[in-house]
Amino acid sequence: MSLTAPLAFPPEQLAEVHRLQALYPDRRAALLPVLHMAQDAFGYISLEVEEYVAGLFDMTPAHVHEVVTFYTMFFQRPKGRHVVAICHNLSCHLAGAPRILTHLKERLGVEVGETTDDGRVTLLSVECLCACEHAPMMQVDDRYEFDLTPARVDRILEGLR
Amino acid sequence: MPKLTIDGKEIEVAPGTNLIEAARALDIEVPHYCYHPGLSVAGQCRLCMVDIEKAPRPTIACNTVATDGMVVWTQTERVLETRKSIMEFHLINHPLDCPVCDQAGECWLQIYYMKHGLYDPRMVDEKVHKPKAVPLGPHVILDAERCILCSRCVRFCDEVTATGELGIFDRGDRSEIGLFPGRELDNKYSGNVVDICPVGALTDRDFRFQVRVWYLDAAKSICPGCARGCNIEVHVNRRRPHHAQGRRVARLKPRFNAAVNKWWICDDGRYGFGFVDDGSRLRSPLQREGGQQLPVAWDEAIAGVAGALTAHPPAETGVIASPKMANEDLFALRRVLDRRGVTQVGFAVRPRVPGDEDKLLIRADKNPNTRGAELIGLGGDTAAILAAARARRIRCLWIFGHDLLDAGWPEAETRAALGAVETLIWSGTNANATSALARWVLPSAAWVERDGTFTNFEGRVQRFRAAVDQLGEALPDWEILGRVLTALGEPTLAARAEHWFRELGRSVPAFAGMTYQSIGDTGQMVGATREAARA
Ligand code: SF4
Ligand code: SF4
Ligand code: FES
């Protein structure tokens, strides 16, 4: 998690990298899970991390950069301790997501894509997360939060330290 | 071998042939962007759709292998409609900056749009904008807005050079070609991505804004950069000289030869023609008078050189030929040497830095005709000739092309050798430190200014052709040597390079039976005709 950690996986994680690589006929298939591990370990995917991971796969950093820039779940800049991602797709939109988003921006004091000054929360606005039956909804870290109202959002935000 | 029918015509092709190549064999062009015969199949551009009987919908030809009994149609209404849609799709965000794009005139967006364009665009939205004029490395510049994301350049760097510098970053309509931040596209073959980019996204920094491509003329040639002898085209600007400040050679492009360089050439070869229009070119014969070299007429220079060769006994005469000379020149030189009985001749000069070499094309020997010089029998000990000059046993020395003062020998020793010689004759295209010491300087035509042949390291004899006029009074070496031979009392009738080559074929067994016709555009191996005759 800390950004000052040396840029290498500890031995247990390296073993996990090798286990994942061995699962596929082409070991590059393990790039996605390894990038997720790297994001957890190093906080975000910096260019340095891309070069490190490229080395683990005998790839050039350009090809790791392709993958990192393609997927929105990889952060190329430092992110907050928590990530709040509100769905802005059709169902949520009709069910009041714009109002929830405005509320989130006011409460956090940031625009979409920004992180609060205290490094607590990064706010994102994303495409459909497949929970239309509970619109409007958002994802908070690994959790889904359903049927949002401003009051519910406030309670959720209070729980984020 | 599978036999199939394309547009009603039957053809048999090798197993594994895809439908683009099968159609090509019938002279039917299936429009395509991402497919390149030298790269893996990506199936990225979707332009190569054809109809295959029994298939429910059009199929991409690049990724479909011809099978026995297949019936293919390349011009059905459905296929034509599909091409039009794909073209529309590729042009959604295209900036349409043809008027300022170097690719204009040889751009596959332009070419295919003429035939398959919609001509009535439906785009009303603001286009997505991307970086323009981004230098990627020493030779290549990127305009990301013009890119159609065919990935040819990416695959070239992955599969041919295995350097993997390029990638496609981001996604959807924001996808763009690029480098890992902070890196450069600086591999030894980077210029090839410009050739294979079907549009104006990757262009050549050296050629950029020099001249419109429709003003260029082309001649088939051979790269003189190393012993590989890559097949090239020389593109020259004769019609708009003022567009490029008088620079005549606009660019070199690879010419396909399956046995030599396939589709590629290296950057050293591609950009190695600067000397042709350089200010150091020698434009007339020179004679040293006291401390100065002054222009003289050819007749005077020829008489002077022939006089020196006659005045000095053969034992006092040495020649350092050049493996950059054509077979025709070397053979004419052979005649001059035989006429005078000169035996102290060599051509190999140790380079100051050893040449680099790789597994793809580049050879450590940076000379195009070492093999030819050996076969014509000029391969003596050059260092011994210089030693003899230093010991004043050689009084007359004729050097071709080399700058011996910039070679892998101790400069002081070479300088002593050159200083000890009474008559120093120097032939070549560009003045250098060695030519500056000569009594007689004979200006040679550059390879693009004349016809000739080189023999590559494998023994393949390949033709190069004149692309531009000779500069000033410069002449091909074979012609200069022919005139010297005449002055020595052996009149020669050889008025063209081809005549000298015919003579060579008569005299040197390795070249027996070869003619310019039999060499053709792809070259011929030495000894091939003899073997054919024996068989
Ligand atoms: S830059 Fe050219 S070769 Fe590379 S992907 Fe774009 S269009 Fe294709
Ligand atoms: S490999 Fe040699 S012959 Fe080929 S382009 Fe390069 S320098 Fe020229
Ligand atoms: S050439 Fe077939 S998809 Fe591009």
Side-chain angles (χ1 to χ4, degrees), chain A:
Chain A
M1 185 67 230
S2 149
L3 293 176
T4 52
L7 231 165
F9 285 131
E12 329 75 80
Q13 278 189 301
L14 262 186
E16 175 63 4
V17 168
H18 295 140
R19 189 188 70 81
L20 289 167
Q21 287 175 335
L23 289 179
Y24 306 97
D26 181 342
R27 64 199 195 118
R28 283 185 301 176
L31 184 58
L32 280 182
V34 170
L35 280 170
H36 279 296
M37 284 170 57
Q39 180 154 286
D40 290 343
F42 309 121
Y44 69 103
I45 310 284
S46 63
L47 294 178
E48 241 183 319
V49 172
E50 287 181 14
E51 289 188 84
Y52 171 64
V53 172
L56 296 175
F57 283 83
D58 267 335
M59 292 166 71
T60 63
H63 291 317
V64 175
H65 196 59
E66 287 183 306
V67 175
V68 171
T69 55
F70 184 90
Y71 292 103
T72 51
M73 284 168 78
F74 294 125
F75 289 82
Q76 295 175 263
R77 281 176 299 155
K79 62 177 165 71
R81 290 192 295 284
H82 303 283
V83 176
V84 172
I86 176 145
C87 168
H88 62 206
N89 216 300
L90 190 59
S91 306
C92 286
H93 187 91
L94 292 175
R99 194 166 54 100
I100 303 294
L101 179 58
T102 310
H103 186 73
L104 276 166
K105 285 186 197 172
E106 273 168 15
R107 271 301 137 97
L108 295 170
V110 295
E111 288 298 315
V112 170
E114 293 178 352
T115 303
T116 55
D117 287 341
D118 58 3
R120 197 166 57 101
V121 176
T122 297
L123 177 63
L124 297 179
S125 165
V126 300
E127 301 298 340
C128 184
L129 291 169
C130 278
C132 305
E133 69 277 24
H134 291 297
M137 63 78 66
M138 64 186 186
Q139 183 175 359
V140 177
D141 298 331
D142 295 336
R143 267 186 350 266
Y144 274 12
E145 298 288 354
F146 298 134
D147 308 311
L148 299 174
T149 60
R152 210 174 127 59
V153 165
D154 287 346
R155 268 202 311 283
I156 296 166
L157 291 183
E158 263 161 43
L160 301 179
R161 289 287 135 228

Side-chain angles (χ1 to χ4, degrees), chain B residues 50 71 90 109 158 179 201 237 254 279 324 393 471 483 497 516:
Chain B
V50 293
V71 180
H90 280 305
L109 276 173
D158 285 351
L179 295 158
N237 170 18
K324 293 193 192 323
R393 277 183 277 115
L471 193 70
R483 290 190 191 187
Y516 275 12

Side-chain angles (χ1 to χ4, degrees), chain B residues 80-100:
Chain B
L80 295 179
E81 192 53 42
T82 309
R83 281 184 199 157
K84 195 174 277 190
S85 307
I86 302 282
M87 287 304 295
E88 182 186 19
F89 178 70
H90 280 305
L91 286 162
I92 283 181
N93 288 307
H94 189 277
L96 298 179
D97 47 6
C98 309
V100 294

Side-chain angles (χ1 to χ4, degrees), chain B residues 46-263:
Chain B
R46 317 311 287 180
L47 186 60
C48 65
M49 298 272 190
V50 293
D51 255 325
I52 301 172
E53 271 182 22
K54 300 203 190 87
R57 62 188 76 84
T59 314
I60 53 172
C62 63
N63 200 29
T64 307
V65 168
T67 58
D68 208 38
M70 203 178 236
V71 180
V72 181
W73 298 96
T74 72
Q75 301 287 339
T76 61
E77 215 170 287
R78 197 159 69 153
V79 164
L80 295 179
E81 192 53 42
T82 309
R83 281 184 199 157
K84 195 174 277 190
S85 307
I86 302 282
M87 287 304 295
E88 182 186 19
F89 178 70
H90 280 305
L91 286 162
I92 283 181
N93 288 307
H94 189 277
L96 298 179
D97 47 6
C98 309
V100 294
C101 177
D102 262 348
Q103 189 84 1
E106 55 183 9
C107 173
W108 291 95
L109 276 173
Q110 292 181 328
I111 294 166
Y112 289 146
Y113 200 79
M114 297 304 287
K115 248 200 197 146
H116 306 290
L118 190 63
Y119 285 95
D120 193 8
R122 297 186 292 173
M123 265 297 279
V124 289
D125 298 317
E126 169 83 7
K127 296 191 175 197
V128 177
H129 291 293
K130 293 178 187 172
K132 296 180 84 71
V134 187
L136 293 184
H139 305 302
V140 183
I141 192 159
L142 164 72
D143 185 308
E145 290 188 335
R146 298 178 191 154
C147 170
I148 56 161
L149 297 166
C150 73
S151 82
R152 276 182 175 187
C153 56
V154 178
R155 280 174 284 145
F156 177 84
C157 293
D158 285 351
E159 298 164 14
V160 181
T161 58
T163 44
E165 296 96 330
L166 291 170
I168 297 178
F169 306 137
D170 230 306
R171 62 161 138 164
D173 58 3
R174 285 166 304 147
S175 305
E176 64 183 65
I177 283 289
L179 295 158
F180 187 77
R183 301 270 167 118
E184 278 210 312
L185 180 65
D186 57 358
N187 66 59
K188 291 245 159 217
Y189 297 86
S190 69
N192 291 288
V193 300
V194 173
D195 303 335
I196 59 175
C197 178
V199 302
L202 300 177
T203 53
D204 192 310
R205 295 181 73 178
D206 180 65
F207 179 67
R208 193 167 156 83
F209 304 147
Q210 287 283 326
V211 58
R212 282 311 202 172
V213 298
W214 50 86
Y215 292 131
L216 296 176
D217 294 302
K220 291 178 184 139
S221 190
I222 300 299
C223 173
C226 81
R228 176 74 58 183
C230 292
N231 291 209
I232 57 169
E233 264 185 19
V234 179
H235 289 184
V236 296
N237 170 18
R238 285 198 294 245
R239 291 182 261 174
R240 289 292 185 282
H242 49 287
H243 286 185
Q245 285 87 42
R247 172 173 149 182
R248 299 172 301 160
V249 178
R251 60 182 182 182
L252 305 185
K253 285 281 190 184
R255 181 163 59 91
F256 178 76
N257 186 328
V260 182
N261 54 304
K262 304 220 165 59
W263 302 267

